[in-house]
Amino acid sequence: MTGATRGDFLFFLRRVVATVHPGALYKHNWHLAAIAEYLAACARGEITRLVINLPPRMLKSTLVSVAWPAWLMGQKPTSRLLVASYAQSLAVKHSTDCRLVMQSPWYRASFPLTELSPDQNEKDKFTTTARGFRFAVSVGGAALGEGGDILIADDPINPLQAMHAAQRDAVNGWFDHTFATRLDDKAKGAIVVVMQRLHTQDLSGYLLEKGGWEHLCLPAIAPERTIVSLGNFSHTREAGEPLHEARENLALLERAKRELGSANFNAQYQQAPLQRSGALIRPEWFPRFADTTASHGCIQSWDTAIKAGDQHDASACATFVEQGGVHRLVDMLAVRLEYPALKRAIVAQAERFGPAAVLIEDKASGQSLLQDLRAETALPLIACKANEDKLTRLVRVTPLMEAGRLALPVHAPWLAAFEAEFFAFPDGPHDDQADAVSQYLNWVRARARGPNPMLRRL
């Protein structure tokens, strides 16, 4: 067992949990293995900047702030770690848990060369006899006099602070000008930020916007089919799949959403915070419905792009059913596909729902798609001419939305990702799903006013 503890970090994690949470049942899940793989890459110097976002109560602090520092100092007693949290009391708790592990008989038997020095063995800082250490600090606290091989920021801002721009800016400034400067090895030393998302400009959002950071994002409910892969680790999540079903199934997550509200749930659980200030579209405008069944009278609206890859825009297909003058968004598909695969996706979505009309913008990739689909299929295509920018098009239909004429489902696998983009418009990083919706609503608006040159039936 000593060999397994020394050679297998996930087995080591089980023993850590048993030590710091006695009586708790350890429930292993793939996301713990994924985080472990990313942390191992940081320890090897292969990843030097890492942001990890995941929901609360998913063992993130025990893994990243307690187990990993103890493991690193067990493997290399000279390791020097700085670990920060938003409050000193929280930072000290993680530190004392880590020290408890390192003072346990099983740890000392597994790592006999790692001994804590009696000269420096305090709650906030303890040192090994080889002069390695773990130093707990609070965000915004006193200036640091130490440097480290690895810097960890675990929950650098609390939810109440995150709602205030001045406090967000203070945390982000402290990180840039104080914490990040303490890295000893600028080439191979690693900085790890682990937190639940709280705001579009929390520390995670601030760092990811600057670029240069590896991002492991683990939403509570997968908004789409996702592959998490690094090194020898690979796991595929299907759309709508909970992150850790044995711990929080969909029913529990739905309850959490009701208790938190959709905005807080999107941020803390889905890692997709909404733009709260200055937003053009407000969540309270939209009635909700439970039945997402689409009839054969539905309408599909496509906003198309023809390049794959996360750095490019997605193609989005919104499927609507009108009932009593209210337009229900029953399905949203967002995919990044090259042209041939996108053409097949349009046909597949039409076969799935049997729409009475398929709207495609008559511009750029949409022109070629309309020509090819007209020649190869019998789809009920409608070319939409758009002579205005995306913002203007959406502004034109905000009265329809404000009047409650657009309804959203209570629950759908794609809903959180859609709301994150839609309610952030026009300040969010993407607008494809929002544009598919505005194209449909503008079509509805134009149809109500009679023939319009922006529409041309093929």
Side-chain angles (χ1 to χ4, degrees):
M1 185 174 289
T2 297
T5 303
R6 186 167 52 244
D8 184 342
F9 177 65
L10 291 174
F11 182 81
F12 177 83
L13 176 62
R14 291 175 183 267
R15 303 201 74 177
V16 169
V17 171
T19 300
V20 300
H21 305 295
L25 177 63
Y26 175 82
K27 296 180 179 180
H28 185 67
N29 191 52
W30 68 268
H31 80 282
L32 301 173
I35 295 172
E37 190 70 30
Y38 274 79
L39 294 179
C42 290
R44 295 191 297 267
E46 296 167 4
I47 295 176
T48 60
R49 300 292 185 274
L50 175 63
V51 171
I52 304 173
N53 294 135
L54 72 166
R57 313 307 300 166
M58 286 293 168
L59 217 62
K60 67 175 180 58
S61 293
T62 300
L63 196 162
V64 179
S65 295
V66 179
W68 193 42
W71 170 266
L72 291 172
M73 288 190 283
Q75 301 290 334
K76 184 181 177 183
T78 56
S79 297
R80 297 157 56 91
L81 299 108
L82 301 182
V83 188
S85 295
Y86 68 81
Q88 185 66 20
S89 58
L90 182 60
V92 168
K93 178 188 182 303
H94 295 157
S95 180
T96 54
D97 284 347
C98 183
R99 186 176 65 165
L100 177 66
V101 168
M102 295 181 67
Q103 290 176 329
S104 68
W106 65 265
Y107 181 94
R108 291 157 61 189
S110 299
F111 302 103
L113 298 181
T114 301
E115 298 181 52
L116 296 185
S117 171
D119 297 334
Q120 177 79 65
N121 189 357
E122 299 170 0
K123 289 182 178 181
D124 61 345
K125 183 180 180 182
F126 50 86
T127 307
T128 68
T129 54
R131 309 314 295 166
F133 63 79
R134 185 196 187 284
F135 185 17
V137 299
S138 63
V139 172
L144 303 176
E146 299 280 7
D149 306 316
I150 292 179
L151 313 183
I152 301 169
D154 179 5
D155 283 334
I157 188 168
N158 72 26
L160 293 178
Q161 289 177 326
M163 296 304 104
H164 300 281
Q167 296 190 26
R168 291 194 306 272
D169 291 345
V171 170
N172 298 343
W174 172 86
F175 184 91
D176 277 346
H177 304 302
T178 301
F179 193 61
T181 65
R182 309 317 300 172
L183 201 59
D184 286 338
D185 188 337
K186 305 300 183 184
K188 290 190 174 181
I191 305 177
V192 177
V193 175
V194 56
M195 62 182 291
Q196 57 186 321
R197 294 302 306 273
L198 299 167
H199 190 277
T200 55
Q201 285 298 309
D202 59 18
L203 183 59
S204 286
Y206 172 72
L207 296 176
L208 293 171
E209 188 176 277
K210 289 203 300 183
W213 288 76
E214 190 78 21
H215 188 202
L216 177 59
C217 185
L218 301 168
I221 303 171
E224 59 187 2
R225 190 173 188 268
T226 308
I227 299 174
V228 179
S229 179
L230 182 71
N232 294 324
F233 176 86
S234 182
H235 179 83
T236 300
R237 293 182 74 186
E238 298 300 332
E241 179 183 316
L243 178 63
H244 191 177
E245 188 165 20
R247 190 174 184 89
E248 278 189 298
N249 58 29
L250 289 176
L252 291 175
L253 290 170
E254 189 62 37
R255 184 173 71 183
K257 184 176 182 179
R258 290 194 300 270
E259 292 172 347
L260 285 171
S262 61
N264 289 330
F265 183 85
N266 275 351
Q268 297 177 38
Y269 278 76
Q270 292 301 100
Q271 315 315 310
L274 308 180
Q275 188 78 25
R276 291 173 180 265
S277 60
L280 177 65
I281 308 163
R282 301 189 178 281
E284 61 267 23
W285 292 348
F286 303 94
R288 300 282 173 163
F289 62 93
D291 183 10
T292 57
T293 304
S295 68
H296 282 271
C298 68
I299 307 294
Q300 291 184 326
S301 174
W302 277 91
D303 177 65
T304 61
I306 56 170
K307 290 185 178 181
D310 291 343
Q311 72 274 27
H312 298 297
D313 290 335
S315 293
C317 176
T319 301
F320 294 89
V321 171
E322 183 179 359
Q323 189 173 70
V326 175
H327 304 272
R328 294 183 171 192
L329 180 60
V330 297
D331 187 76
M332 175 63 76
L333 174 72
V335 289
R336 289 176 172 82
L337 300 172
E338 302 289 350
Y339 184 89
L342 176 57
K343 188 167 62 172
R344 292 193 295 270
I346 293 173
V347 174
Q349 280 294 93
E351 291 176 347
R352 178 184 173 193
F353 291 101
V358 178
L359 314 181
I360 298 177
E361 184 178 356
D362 192 7
K363 182 180 177 182
S365 62
Q367 290 179 330
S368 298
L369 287 164
L370 286 163
Q371 292 170 2
D372 287 354
L373 291 169
R374 179 177 57 179
E376 299 168 9
T377 74
L379 293 180
L381 301 168
I382 293 180
C384 294
K385 288 287 187 181
N387 299 317
E388 299 169 319
D389 61 78
K390 293 185 177 186
L391 177 58
T392 301
R393 296 200 298 268
L394 194 68
V395 168
R396 288 194 182 280
V397 294
T398 51
L400 280 174
M401 292 185 280
E402 191 168 4
R405 297 280 302 281
L406 176 62
L408 302 179
V410 174
H411 175 73
W414 47 266
L415 184 61
F418 168 77
E419 288 180 330
E421 177 182 313
F422 195 55
F423 296 140
F425 186 89
D427 299 317
H430 300 293
D431 55 20
D432 316 288
Q433 297 176 78
D435 202 40
V437 170
S438 70
Q439 177 175 264
Y440 169 78
L441 292 177
N442 274 292
W443 176 78
V444 168
R445 178 174 171 268
R447 186 179 57 168
R449 295 185 175 189
N452 190 301
M454 76 169 285
L455 305 175
R456 178 166 53 88
R457 184 66 180 259
L458 295 181

